[in-house]
């Protein structure tokens, strides 16, 4: 059995696969594998462990004549035409749960850093511009008593809600279903437009689908109340990034934290000039614990499918 891994991930993945005597090949360049090379490599592969940067469209899937599973090394899977893969008899899996806490931690890190203008403070100190305590220096926002809006109350959104509750916020959430865990914390399920109008802090946790692309369009973004904090650790394409930049530039939004971008890895250069923005390089699951667990789960899915037992976490 041949398994192709599209980028270097924690070695536990290779180790587990080799224990099963699989022929494992890893693309070891630091940049995403070119589409044409990926297509060449997967022709005779029985399984592929992929990244979000790898596009599996109909053309790519048609070339996978032997493949039984695409194990995506991510919780998202918008890089894969799942319906077509399933039609072709290829199982698609992801890595849910194991990166929930790391991503939720990062979302709260951004919320706190944006609210208290941490990066502006760091830059002031590094620029040797601190002249002593001042009563109006870098005034921020306290969380206690504020409305904390969670857009998408899945695993990660729920974990963020639990963390936010400790700060004494009022939790509002938008989701297609009632979330009992959040409701037990006193959270209220509200329509999206209502959440945007009422929230002082907004944290985005929706998956990217045809229905969620630009769900936060220009009209909805302008429902956001003045001096709010906006954080996105989900997918950049969920919001109209250009409109967000305009709003941040005019201070319609107090501050924003981005871990994801609409045209990632290309970053809109206007973001670099905004002092009230924190930019991170897609670090949501970037902990040793999460990344190792993701690698193990992806490999376990491959082993399970190739052994005829079915997927552990099918999409």
């Amino acid at each position: 059995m041949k398994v192709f891994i599209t980028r270097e991930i924690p070695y536990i993945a290779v180790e587990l696969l080799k224990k099963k005597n699989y022929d494992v090949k890893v693309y070891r360049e630091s940049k995403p594998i070119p589409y044409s090379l990926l297509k060449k490599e997967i022709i005779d592969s029985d399984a592929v462990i992929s990244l979000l940067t790898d596009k599996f469209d109909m053309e790519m899937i048609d070339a996978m004549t032997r493949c039984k599973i695409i194990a995506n090394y991510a919780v998202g899977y918008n890089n894969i035409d799942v319906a077509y893969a399933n039609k072709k008899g290829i199982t698609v899996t992801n890595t849910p749960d194991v990166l929930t806490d790391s991503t939720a931690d990062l979302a709260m890190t951004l919320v706190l850093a944006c609210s208290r203008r941490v990066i502006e403070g760091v830059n002031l100190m590094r620029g040797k511009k601190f002249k002593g305590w001042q009563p109006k220096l870098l005034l921020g926002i306290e969380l206690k008593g504020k409305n904390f809006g969670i857009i998408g109350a899945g695993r990660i959104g729920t974990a963020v809600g639990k963390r936010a509750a400790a700060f004494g916020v009022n939790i509002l959430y938008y989701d297609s279903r009632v979330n009992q865990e959040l409701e037990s914390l006193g959270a209220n399920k509200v329509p999206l437009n209502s959440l945007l109008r009422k929230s002082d802090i907004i944290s985005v946790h929706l998956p990217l689908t045809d229905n969620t692309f630009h769900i936060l369009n220009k009209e909805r973004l302008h429902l956001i109340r003045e001096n709010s904090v906006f954080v996105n650790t989900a997918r950049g394409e969920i919001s109209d990034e250009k409109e967000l930049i305009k709003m941040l530039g005019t201070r319609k939004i107090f501050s924003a934290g981005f871990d994801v971008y609409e045209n990632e890895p290309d970053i809109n250069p206007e973001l670099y000039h905004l002092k009230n923005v924190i930019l991170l390089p897609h670090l949501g699951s970037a902990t040793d614990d999460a990344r190792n667990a993701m690698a193990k789960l992806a490999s376990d899915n491959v082993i399970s499918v190739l052994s005829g037992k079915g997927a552990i976490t099918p999409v």
Side-chain angles (χ1 to χ4, degrees):
M1 296 284 191
K2 179 181 176 181
V3 180
F4 182 65
I5 304 178
T6 65
R7 194 91 68 87
E8 283 195 87
I9 60 177
Y11 187 73
I12 186 173
V14 176
E15 189 175 45
L16 289 169
L17 294 168
K18 285 190 172 181
K19 282 183 179 179
K20 302 297 289 186
N21 294 318
Y22 296 154
D23 177 12
V24 182
K25 184 175 181 180
V26 181
Y27 180 71
R28 300 193 181 278
E29 298 295 326
S30 58
K31 294 182 178 180
I33 184 170
Y35 185 89
S36 58
L37 181 56
L38 175 59
K39 189 175 178 181
K40 179 181 177 182
E41 291 290 351
I42 52 86
I43 287 176
D44 61 346
S45 295
D46 298 283
V48 177
I49 295 180
S50 59
L51 274 68
L52 281 172
T53 48
D54 307 318
K55 186 177 181 180
F56 287 85
D57 55 13
M58 294 175 69
E59 180 182 343
M60 185 69 71
I61 291 167
D62 281 336
M64 306 173 77
T65 55
R66 284 178 49 177
C67 189
K68 298 179 179 63
I69 175 174
I70 303 170
N72 221 33
Y73 181 74
V75 68
Y77 44 85
N78 51 284
N79 57 312
I80 303 170
D81 188 333
V82 178
Y84 192 68
N86 290 338
K87 182 179 178 181
K88 288 288 189 173
I90 300 172
T91 298
V92 178
T93 65
N94 64 343
T95 58
D97 296 323
V98 296
L99 50 71
T100 297
D101 287 324
S102 60
T103 307
D105 287 348
L106 190 76
M108 283 305 300
T109 298
L110 284 172
V111 167
L112 292 168
C114 287
S115 300
R116 297 304 302 272
R117 304 176 70 174
V118 170
I119 299 302
E120 291 176 80
V122 169
N123 290 338
L124 184 143
M125 296 302 294
R126 290 187 180 278
K128 300 180 181 179
K129 296 178 180 179
F130 178 57
K131 305 301 181 183
W133 184 88
Q134 299 175 41
K136 292 186 177 181
L137 179 63
L138 295 180
L139 298 182
I141 297 171
E142 289 187 16
L143 298 192
K144 185 177 181 180
K146 300 298 191 299
N147 291 336
F148 194 109
I150 297 172
I151 301 178
R155 296 179 183 89
I156 297 172
T158 300
V160 169
K162 290 179 178 178
R163 285 157 172 76
F167 289 86
V169 301
N170 307 308
I171 299 172
L172 307 175
Y173 72 95
Y174 164 75
D175 201 84
S176 59
R177 293 176 291 184
V178 173
N179 186 308
Q180 295 296 344
E181 287 187 82
L182 290 181
E183 296 273 336
S184 70
L185 299 173
N188 292 305
K189 182 178 181 293
V190 295
L192 179 56
N193 288 359
S194 178
L195 182 148
L196 295 171
R197 289 191 184 98
K198 295 178 179 179
S199 296
D200 302 290
I201 300 101
I202 296 169
S203 192
V204 180
H205 303 285
L206 288 172
L208 178 61
T209 67
D210 290 341
N211 292 329
T212 63
F213 177 83
H214 274 202
I215 191 171
L216 299 179
N217 55 25
K218 179 178 179 179
E219 290 74 20
R220 281 201 168 111
L221 288 173
H222 280 274
L223 296 176
I224 296 176
R225 60 169 57 183
E226 296 275 350
N227 296 319
S228 57
V229 170
F230 181 90
V231 167
N232 189 354
T233 55
R235 291 290 179 268
E237 298 93 329
I238 289 169
S239 60
D240 183 337
E241 189 174 89
K242 289 183 179 179
E243 194 61 30
L244 267 176
I245 289 170
K246 291 179 184 178
M247 294 172 70
L248 286 159
T250 58
R251 297 280 175 166
K252 172 76 166 59
I253 295 176
F254 179 78
S255 184
F258 297 93
D259 190 41
V260 290
Y261 307 89
E262 187 163 352
N263 297 301
E264 193 173 327
D266 296 325
I267 309 300
N268 189 317
E270 293 183 41
L271 284 169
Y272 297 124
H273 303 297
L274 295 171
K275 292 182 179 180
N276 56 338
V277 167
I278 297 176
L279 308 175
L280 294 181
H282 206 143
L283 297 179
S285 63
T287 65
D288 284 333
D289 305 88
R291 294 284 169 87
N292 280 315
M294 290 166 65
K296 183 179 185 303
L297 182 53
S299 294
D300 286 344
N301 269 303
V302 168
I303 292 168
S304 185
V305 168
L306 294 185
S307 300
K309 299 176 182 178
I312 299 167
T313 54
V315 171

